[in-house]
Amino acid sequence: MPIPLLIPTGGKTRPAQTLLGPLRLDRGRVHEFCGPARHMLALILLHATSGPVVWAHPGWQTERLMCDGIAPLADPGRLILAQAHRSDDVLWTIEETLRSGAVALVVAELPVLPGLTAVRRLHLAAEAGAEAAGALGLLPPLGLLLTPGQGGAPAVESRWQMTPRHTPDLARWQLARLRARNAPPADWWVGQDSRGHPLLLQPDPQPAGRSVLNSA
């Protein structure tokens, strides 16, 4: 019998949350959604989860989540909306919520990209929250940053970008995994079933990992 070349090292495996189809996000960490359809992608994640969700947003912005628009994907009553007066208050809100471990999903709408120190603090808060949640038999928290433009928050666990590619007869989006610690860049098409629920279609035939915002 041949001697194996590699042996297990007992590395830590994190619980994962389904995003869509086989796509997963590690819990106890902070992820980034960007692109013009980032809010839709966040609602797809809400559709895949259950329980209350803390959603922090800048109070000075005029756009708000609309309950009628959310309802086909998730119960608006699950949302705990936190209106912040400063960008730092948005980050503080989700940091403290992640640290508590009381909520399985924490979302932050950010008007600008956070710095490296801020993201590292969020990861530490999520890890502390995972320990607190485990003691209570709850799911480890998952932190989600909604960032403007093409994103680029430093040190996030993964970065996903989604943009609409609708036709007159078909609602669909293009989803790209731009960065992940344990998976390569890749693209997919996202559609809807007869109930309006998200559906992962065949992979994009274009080269994997390109920015969907730069494709015509």
Side-chain angles (χ1 to χ4, degrees):
M1 181 175 179
I3 300 175
L5 298 178
L6 301 175
I7 60 174
T9 59
K12 183 178 179 181
T13 301
R14 299 181 184 277
Q17 169 61 51
T18 296
L19 173 60
L20 192 60
L23 307 180
R24 302 288 186 270
L25 301 175
D26 282 350
R27 287 192 164 277
R29 303 295 287 170
V30 177
H31 305 263
E32 179 185 12
F33 288 178
C34 61
R38 59 189 180 277
H39 292 86
M40 180 62 183
L41 186 54
L43 293 179
I44 289 174
L45 180 57
L46 261 69
H47 179 75
T49 62
S50 60
V53 177
V54 170
W55 188 299
H57 64 95
W60 62 91
Q61 293 187 346
T62 57
E63 293 183 338
R64 297 285 187 274
L65 292 173
M66 188 173 71
C67 292
D68 290 344
I70 296 171
L73 291 174
D75 178 7
R78 294 173 52 197
L79 290 173
I80 302 171
L81 297 177
Q83 181 172 301
H85 298 293
R86 301 180 306 165
S87 296
D88 288 347
D89 293 337
V90 177
L91 292 170
W92 179 87
T93 298
I94 63 168
E95 180 180 338
E96 293 304 309
T97 307
L98 286 170
R99 183 173 287 108
S100 73
V103 180
L105 177 59
V106 185
V107 183
E109 290 187 60
L110 299 178
V112 296
L113 295 179
L116 176 61
T117 299
V119 176
R120 285 177 172 171
R121 287 178 62 91
L122 294 177
H123 280 309
L124 292 174
E127 291 174 0
E131 294 184 7
L136 298 173
L138 302 175
L139 286 173
L142 188 155
L144 176 59
L145 306 180
L146 304 184
T147 57
Q150 298 188 48
V156 291
E157 187 72 11
S158 67
R159 179 179 301 117
W160 304 75
Q161 184 184 70
M162 195 162 89
T163 197
R165 297 293 185 209
H166 307 317
T167 67
D169 301 320
L170 181 65
R172 67 175 185 174
W173 296 262
Q174 198 168 19
L175 174 64
R177 182 174 58 210
L178 301 181
R179 179 187 185 278
R181 292 185 184 276
N182 299 312
D187 290 356
W188 297 266
W189 287 109
V190 177
Q192 293 178 319
D193 63 17
S194 59
R195 297 173 297 172
H197 293 172
L199 181 68
L200 190 67
L201 305 177
Q202 76 277 6
D204 190 331
Q206 298 297 324
R210 56 167 172 68
S211 171
V212 297
L213 289 178
N214 294 330
S215 61

